[in-house]
Amino acid sequence: MPRPRKPASPFRYFNSSPEVIRLVVLMYVRFPLSLRNVEDLLFERGIDLCHETVRLWWNRFGPLFAGEVRRQRVSRMRGFRHWRWHLDEMYVKLNGEMVYLWRAVDHEGEILESYVTKARDKKAALAFMKRALKRHGSPEAITTDGLRSYGAALSELGAREKQEVGRWANNRVENSHLPFRRRERAMLRFRQMRTLQKFASVHANVHNHFNHERHLVDRQTYKQRRSAALAQWQALAS
């Protein structure tokens, strides 16, 4: 019986080590740094590369790393029976035009799905919800704001009874917009919907991976969780 072929390494055509590539993607996506900021910080560490290399690596490997992080979380959470979702949309300026970034956040404040559209109607809300439900399963309850597009989309999906609307009930997802807003300002905004969609998805999963709610745990527990998250990151695509 022939031996199963080992999957090819995604780093096989690059001269730099996987450790350096993971570090570059982590610095650019997780922290509010520009391409040239990352270049300068790496130079201080003795790693000489161009800012365009930083752009190439996050575009090439960011979705790969984010996909692995997302798959690990989805496999752990699919059997959770009391999963509650919070849905909201935010404005993002794209070449002077406003587009909408729809986001689904779970009861722990972790971002499940990010979806960019030009419209803010029932069709956009329905496409966003179908995408989230297909990937993450059905929640116990869905909290939204008063936008009628949510109710219309949930009615078509047969899940209107799961909707909850409250004045402050959606603060969890409202607060989850802040890290992306900080990152958006550092990037001096976006120019293409495709780039916005890619970066929003990658940033959400990287933020989830390193978000340990340090204000809710003691210092020792936080350090253990941070070390475990970093070790898992360093093992991605290895």
Side-chain angles (χ1 to χ4, degrees):
M1 184 176 178
R3 300 172 109 186
R5 293 185 61 182
K6 185 177 180 181
S9 171
F11 308 106
R12 62 189 182 279
Y13 298 126
F14 295 83
N15 294 327
S16 298
S17 66
E19 291 75 17
V20 173
I21 294 176
R22 292 192 195 97
L23 176 62
V24 168
V25 175
L26 174 63
M27 291 176 68
Y28 181 67
V29 176
R30 184 184 176 194
F31 302 107
L33 301 171
S34 68
L35 297 169
R36 289 173 174 79
N37 290 153
V38 176
E39 177 186 354
D40 293 341
L41 288 171
L42 291 171
F43 182 75
E44 186 180 3
R45 296 185 175 201
I47 303 172
D48 187 11
L49 51 82
C50 176
H51 68 278
E52 288 297 337
T53 303
V54 178
R55 188 198 308 274
L56 170 66
W57 285 354
W58 97 255
N59 271 288
R60 176 73 177 267
F61 294 101
L64 174 67
F65 298 154
E68 286 199 33
V69 170
R70 182 178 59 245
R71 281 191 293 272
Q72 292 173 9
R73 173 166 174 77
V74 169
S75 63
R76 291 195 306 266
M77 295 297 294
R78 267 194 174 273
F80 193 84
R81 297 182 179 179
H82 304 291
W83 211 354
R84 302 177 65 87
W85 288 6
H86 300 261
L87 308 184
D88 192 37
E89 72 289 341
M90 60 186 288
Y91 296 96
V92 180
K93 185 172 286 188
L94 202 69
N95 287 332
E97 178 186 357
M98 289 296 184
V99 297
Y100 302 94
L101 176 60
W102 303 74
R103 291 152 65 87
V105 173
D106 70 2
H107 56 281
E108 295 180 347
E110 297 199 0
I111 304 160
L112 304 174
E113 197 65 50
S114 301
Y115 188 61
V116 182
T117 64
K118 288 186 176 181
R120 193 187 176 205
D121 53 10
K122 173 189 170 182
K123 181 179 178 181
L126 187 61
F128 164 61
M129 290 184 187
K130 284 182 176 179
R131 180 170 173 166
L133 290 168
K134 180 178 179 180
R135 179 171 287 169
H136 300 280
S138 180
E140 182 183 70
I142 299 177
T143 304
T144 70
D145 56 19
L147 182 67
R148 288 184 290 181
S149 299
Y150 290 119
L154 286 169
S155 295
E156 184 161 329
L157 293 170
R160 186 61 183 266
E161 70 281 356
K162 294 184 178 182
Q163 185 182 19
E164 297 179 359
V165 180
R167 187 174 181 183
W168 294 290
N170 228 19
N171 284 352
R172 185 172 290 278
V173 66
E174 293 285 353
N175 292 333
S176 75
H177 296 326
L178 299 178
F180 182 82
R181 285 298 190 198
R182 288 193 291 266
R183 194 66 195 82
E184 179 193 17
R185 286 193 293 271
M187 296 181 70
L188 302 179
R189 304 191 185 278
F190 299 88
R191 294 174 178 81
Q192 297 180 350
M193 284 189 64
R194 182 178 59 181
T195 305
L196 172 58
Q197 177 66 69
K198 178 189 285 189
F199 189 85
S201 299
V202 173
H203 179 269
N205 286 284
V206 173
H207 177 74
N208 290 343
H209 187 68
F210 290 98
N211 181 26
H212 307 300
E213 298 182 328
R214 62 190 303 169
H215 60 290
L216 299 178
V217 297
D218 59 84
R219 177 68 178 173
Q220 189 62 32
T221 302
Y222 169 72
K223 289 171 64 176
Q224 293 173 356
R225 293 180 179 178
R226 182 177 60 182
S227 299
L230 186 59
Q232 292 174 8
W233 176 267
Q234 292 170 345
L236 292 177
S238 58

